[in-house]
């Protein structure tokens, strides 16, 4: 199949890079977003999110005339749905006394509904949003059937998850292997024809539900593996062992690859997607459930480390460095760093947060600093929450001149103990049992 015009619904972290990559490869793309501010920003030639390389790609796409943003879809050869699938705020499911988070599929539902008036025979519709198993068959196909056309017979329908890593999206979109699950083999083939426009990695065709499950399995696998690293950090702390050293030694084993502990697991993918399995089959997912519990509990462990370093928290001034959910991105969604800040404030600490990738972030109850200097100047302690490259490069001696703080807590293993101790700082690190022997509280 050939695709001249496509419509990408949802212009966020996945939809926008995908739209601009198609446009850069000569496809005429209409980008659709429900938020009028996003549409207006993009049509002005500006951009509402940060992702390395995205701004330049979009600029080129707009200059070539291949990209335009709008609030409503229009007729096209293919429709891509790349909208968020978060979990529902404040709503939980229950199984055997355990509560679990449930998916909020409203954005997928309304994106599918918005396509109905424009769907024509021979079109292709692809769902990219990470979704609970069977969403393509049981949610999207019935909505599209309201057009009077049947998926697999009159038009093609496929599920093709994005699997790109924020921070490296523009490269991974092209280079990663891509799975395409069709409601029929012909639908998978149509999806393959579409993505072949730019994908250089292997394209694997399968059925829609397998593709949905592949995506959830990947992120669940990572979540469970981070959970064990986080659990190791608590154990190491208990036994006076430096978990970072222990992990680096264990990882010399040819069949061991332990991930990094930290203040928790955030973002809109790994901290959300495993719940889709739990919601779909709570009786089958005790491991997945408990891994989520471990990772969601990790900000409390980070706070415990801070408490140990600072003693009573009331009135203590803490400079929190980083709020993003992981290094070198501007995304604050489900960020464990934000959770740590909130927990510290609940204990009476006065936290000032500096996030270089989103200095103008506005989070209820969180006091934002205007610069690194502003955050650290009058602080009692520095708290490293995100391993941003620019934090790793800080010079301890220079920082010592800019702050009254002589104590720091590193939750991400971003800093060298010796360097900071030489500059006069008492050094505490999450999962580093060696910090236990230092007691500053009088
Ligand atoms: N994290 C750790 N320790 C680690 C690795 C990560 O605590 O060793 C934390 C991060 O700090 C962050 C969270 O986990 O808070 C998730 O970060 P990530 O880099 O593991 O993953 P994401 O959410 O940015 O992207 C993931 C990727 N999935 C996998 O690696 C299996 C990506 O390929 C997916 O496309 C993406 O989810 C998605 O959109 O689903």
């Amino acid at each position: 199949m050939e695709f001249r015009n496509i419509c990408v619904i949802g212009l966020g972290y996945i939809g926008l890079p995908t739209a601009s990559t198609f446009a850069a490869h000569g496809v005429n793309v209409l980008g659709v977003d429900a938020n009028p501010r996003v549409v207006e920003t993009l049509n002005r030639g500006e951009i509402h999110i940060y992702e390395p390389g995205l701004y330049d790609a979009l600029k080129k796409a707009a200059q070539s005339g291949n990209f335009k943003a709008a609030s409503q879809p229009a007729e096209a050869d293919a429709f891509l749905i790349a909208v968020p699938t978060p979990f529902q705020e404040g709503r939980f499911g229950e199984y055997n006394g355990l509560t679990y988070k449930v998916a909020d599929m409203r954005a997928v539902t309304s994106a599918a509904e918005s396509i109905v008036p424009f769907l024509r025979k021979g079109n292709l519709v692809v769902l990219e949003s990470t979704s609970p198993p069977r969403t393509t068959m049981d949610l999207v196909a019935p909505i599209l059937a309201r057009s009077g056309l049947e998926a697999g017979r009159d038009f093609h329908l496929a599920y093709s998850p994005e699997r790109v890593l924020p921070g490296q999206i523009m490269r991974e979109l092209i280079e990663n292997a891509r799975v395409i699950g069709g409601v029929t083999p012909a639908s998978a083939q149509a999806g393959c024809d579409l993505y072949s426009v730019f994908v250089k990695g292997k394209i694997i065709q399968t059925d829609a539900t397998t593709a949905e499950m592949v995506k959830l399995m990947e992120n669940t696998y990572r979540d469970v593996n981070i959970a064990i690293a986080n659990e190791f950090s608590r154990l190491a702390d208990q036994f006076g062992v430096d978990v970072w050293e222990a992990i680096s030694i264990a990882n010399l084993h040819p069949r061991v690859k332990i991930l990094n502990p930290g203040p928790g697991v955030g973002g809109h993918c790994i901290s959300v997607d495993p719940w889709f399995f739990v919601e779909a089959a709570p009786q089958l997912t005790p491991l997945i459930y408990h891994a989520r519990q471990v990772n969601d509990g990790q900000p409390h462990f980070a706070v415990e480390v801070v408490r140990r370093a600072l003693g009573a928290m009331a009135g203590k001034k803490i400079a929190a460095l980083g709020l993003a959910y992981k290094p070198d991105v501007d995304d604050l969604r489900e960020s464990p760093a934000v959770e740590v800040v909130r927990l510290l404030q609940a204990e009476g600490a006065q936290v000032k947060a500096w996030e270089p990738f989103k200095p103008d972030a506005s989070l209820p109850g969180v006091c934002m600093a205007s610069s690194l200097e502003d955050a650290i100047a009058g602080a009692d302690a520095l708290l490293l929450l995100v391993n941003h490259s620019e934090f790793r490069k800080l010079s301890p001696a220079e920082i010592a001149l800019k702050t009254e703080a002589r104590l720091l807590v590193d939750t991400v293993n971003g800093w060298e103990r010796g360097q900071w101790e030489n500059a006069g700082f008492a050094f505490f690190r999450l999962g580093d049992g060696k910090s236990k022997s230092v007691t500053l509280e009088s």
Side-chain angles (χ1 to χ4, degrees), residues 321-322 354 356 372 384 386 388-394 415:
L321 305 187
W354 167 237
L372 175 68
L384 182 62
V386 184
H388 287 318
S389 320
E390 64 181 83
F391 291 157
R392 278 201 301 277
K393 286 184 215 140
L394 290 175
W415 288 337

Side-chain angles (χ1 to χ4, degrees), residues 14 130 162-166 172 215 218-219 222 226 230 259-262 264-270 273 325-327 336:
I14 298 304
T130 306
E162 51 78 15
R163 297 147 99 200
V164 288
L165 197 69
E172 288 205 358
K215 168 70 192 195
E218 290 166 354
N219 281 359
R222 194 152 167 89
I226 299 171
N230 282 334
L259 294 174
N260 293 319
V265 170
H268 54 298
C269 309
I270 301 218
D273 303 350
Y325 83 92
K326 70 172 194 174

Side-chain angles (χ1 to χ4, degrees), residues 352-380:
K352 216 169 192 189
W354 167 237
E355 176 41 75
F357 285 84
K358 215 160 202 169
D360 54 353
S362 131
L363 299 160
V366 176
C367 172
M368 297 296 294
S370 56
S371 64
L372 175 68
E373 284 71 18
D374 178 33
I376 66 176
D380 297 314

Side-chain angles (χ1 to χ4, degrees), residues 13-15 17-18 51 80-82 126-131 159-181 195 198-222 268-270 273 325-326:
Y13 285 91
I14 298 304
T18 305
E51 173 65 30
L80 270 59
I81 302 176
V126 183
L127 175 65
E128 286 204 9
S129 312
T130 306
S131 299
Y159 179 76
S160 182
E162 51 78 15
R163 297 147 99 200
V164 288
L165 197 69
Q168 301 181 32
I169 291 180
M170 301 311 287
R171 182 179 58 78
E172 288 205 358
L173 259 184
I174 292 172
E175 290 177 7
N176 283 6
R178 181 138 208 149
V179 55
I180 300 183
Y195 288 98
F198 66 77
V199 171
K200 294 211 179 93
K202 193 173 168 149
I203 300 184
I204 302 107
Q205 297 185 34
T206 181
D207 64 86
T209 310
T210 300
E212 289 164 347
M213 190 148 170
V214 164
K215 168 70 192 195
L216 295 179
M217 281 164 54
E218 290 166 354
N219 281 359
T220 301
Y221 169 87
R222 194 152 167 89
H268 54 298
C269 309
I270 301 218
D273 303 350
Y325 83 92
K326 70 172 194 174

